[in-house]
Amino acid sequence: MTTPRHFLRLSDLSADTFRALIRRAIELKDIQHRGEIYEPLKNRVLAMIFEKSSTRTRVSFESGMTQFGGHAIFLSPRDCQLGRGEPVEDTARVLAGMVDAVMLRTFHHEYQVRFAAYSKVPVINGLSDQHHPCQLLADMQTYFENRDDIAGRSVAWIGDGNNMCHSYMEAARILGFQLRIACPEGYGPDGDLLAEAGDHVVVCNHPKEAADGAHLITTDVWASMGQEEEASQRRQAFKDYQVDESLMALADKDALFMHCLPAHRGEEVSHGVIDGPQSIVWDEAENRLHAQKALLEWLFRAQP
Ligand code: CP
Ligand code: NVA
């Protein structure tokens, strides 16, 4: 079996490839905005399996495949035999005979690793409990477009040490920025991933310490999908971790705010910040489309 390129976490990319994808995403955005037809994936098919809800990931992959002249198929475990216990290894081999790539949104990252091990077509992580690499392609594109290369900059992560935080940690190491993390006790990132990030990641004791002089402040929901039952306990633990105007005021004067969305105004971010002048969340959301088109082009190009 030939080994295809997979994209399960950001560390599947070199720094050069990451920057090339960002440049290409910006070009593809321009092509799209000019209304030019560009169909490099005619007749190609992407299968998408979602164990969890999605707005941005589903619509951006589906639109991206359509704009590229291909097609995307939406599957949930409810609608296919996975939900009735067909092994992931069998599903991977069956789909690889019928489609050209597979996107997975799953509870467990391990599931994606198992799927990829049996797939002869590329597998893309559209979010797992550990990583959200597609979101980081879009976030980095958005920073580069609104400012410049992020190398040497300081980024503050405020809140949960979750999948998004882990992908920011990987981005910091690959692109060479400093990530300053402030999480409540007991909600920090994975220790092994922290060790891998080395001195690109600094764990701070307080959100103010992380925000001090930052060029970008970012956060995410306090309770991720699958943690709904912990929501009230988490609201208590995270109550001092809101990105509000007073926190933004500690950052660099040109600092930007990002959030992968969906957001809970009044929890992890104030209304004033997410809807204010430093927020670039709508560019960030749109860039999911362009960044993933660049990713798809790159993954498909590597296939025999
Ligand atoms: N940011 C993100 O992945 O959004 P969805 O859950 O809507 O796909
Ligand atoms: N951390 C969030 C991200 C949603 C895009 C979750 O996993 O639910």
Side-chain angles (χ1 to χ4, degrees):
M1 186 173 93
T2 51
T3 311
R5 271 180 188 158
H6 298 302
F7 184 59
L8 301 188
R9 49 188 280 191
L10 271 183
S11 53
D12 291 333
L13 302 179
S14 66
D16 283 350
T17 303
F18 199 161
R19 287 194 167 83
L21 288 178
I22 293 170
R23 281 194 299 275
R24 185 61 182 150
I26 294 169
E27 285 169 10
L28 289 168
K29 184 173 184 172
D30 192 47
I31 289 172
Q32 186 66 24
H33 284 188
R34 287 203 311 267
E36 218 175 276
I37 303 294
Y38 174 59
E39 297 184 325
L41 301 186
K42 227 171 170 39
N43 298 319
R44 301 293 197 110
V45 179
L46 173 73
M48 308 186 295
I49 299 175
F50 283 90
E51 288 184 346
K52 305 181 185 182
S53 308
S54 171
T55 298
R56 281 144 286 266
T57 305
R58 177 179 176 180
V59 175
S60 54
F61 270 111
E62 201 161 327
S63 296
M65 283 303 293
T66 303
Q67 290 165 9
F68 267 175
H71 182 69
I73 301 173
F74 172 84
L75 294 163
S76 80
R78 248 190 336 277
D79 314 314
C80 68
Q81 299 290 5
L82 275 171
R84 296 180 59 251
E86 183 164 17
V88 52
E89 292 80 4
D90 293 2
T91 305
R93 282 175 286 193
V94 170
L95 289 189
M98 299 178 180
V99 305
D100 302 285
V102 180
M103 189 237 84
L104 299 173
R105 169 166 285 197
T106 62
F107 284 97
H108 304 293
H109 189 75
E110 187 51 32
Y111 181 101
Q112 303 203 10
V113 174
R114 283 170 55 202
F115 195 106
Y118 282 83
S119 176
K120 63 178 169 41
V121 300
V123 177
I124 301 167
N125 179 358
L127 184 141
S128 65
D129 56 347
Q130 290 293 303
H131 299 277
H132 198 3
C134 291
Q135 183 68 51
L136 259 289
L137 294 180
D139 284 25
M140 293 299 102
Q141 178 192 344
T142 311
Y143 189 88
F144 278 54
E145 280 177 335
N146 281 272
R147 292 289 180 264
D148 202 344
D149 199 309
I150 200 161
R153 299 293 181 178
S154 169
V155 177
W157 175 269
I158 311 294
D160 196 13
N162 63 10
N163 44 11
M164 275 298 297
C165 178
H166 292 159
S167 288
Y168 261 96
M169 284 159 47
E170 297 208 328
R173 185 178 55 74
I174 301 168
L175 295 180
F177 60 87
Q178 188 177 65
L179 183 68
R180 300 175 65 81
I181 295 177
C183 309
E185 210 180 322
Y187 295 95
D190 177 88
D192 291 339
L193 295 175
L194 196 56
E196 272 178 35
D199 56 11
H200 288 290
V201 178
V202 176
V203 178
C204 301
N205 293 321
H206 195 280
K208 286 183 179 167
E209 197 187 322
D212 187 26
H215 300 100
L216 168 65
I217 295 192
T218 185
T219 186
D220 189 10
V221 289
W222 290 344
S224 285
M225 289 180 276
Q227 297 172 332
E228 288 76 8
E229 284 177 8
E230 297 172 32
S232 70
Q233 179 193 330
R234 282 173 167 266
R235 262 196 296 277
Q236 186 57 28
F238 285 80
K239 65 179 173 14
D240 299 326
Y241 288 73
Q242 183 181 91
V243 179
D244 60 11
E245 289 81 340
S246 67
L247 200 70
M248 288 302 294
L250 300 173
D252 185 81
K253 66 174 177 30
D254 293 324
L256 298 169
F257 172 76
M258 285 199 225
H259 189 310
C260 64
L261 306 177
H264 291 176
R265 288 168 174 78
E267 292 192 7
E268 75 275 6
V269 62
S270 67
H271 290 257
V273 169
I274 195 167
D275 298 315
Q278 289 167 290
S279 171
I280 48 171
V281 297
W282 311 121
D283 280 358
E284 181 188 2
E286 178 187 329
N287 283 341
R288 293 293 303 278
L289 171 67
H290 310 298
Q292 287 158 200
K293 284 169 77 177
L295 175 73
L296 287 165
E297 213 184 30
W298 177 72
L299 289 172
F300 277 98
R301 200 177 323 120
Q303 301 319 301

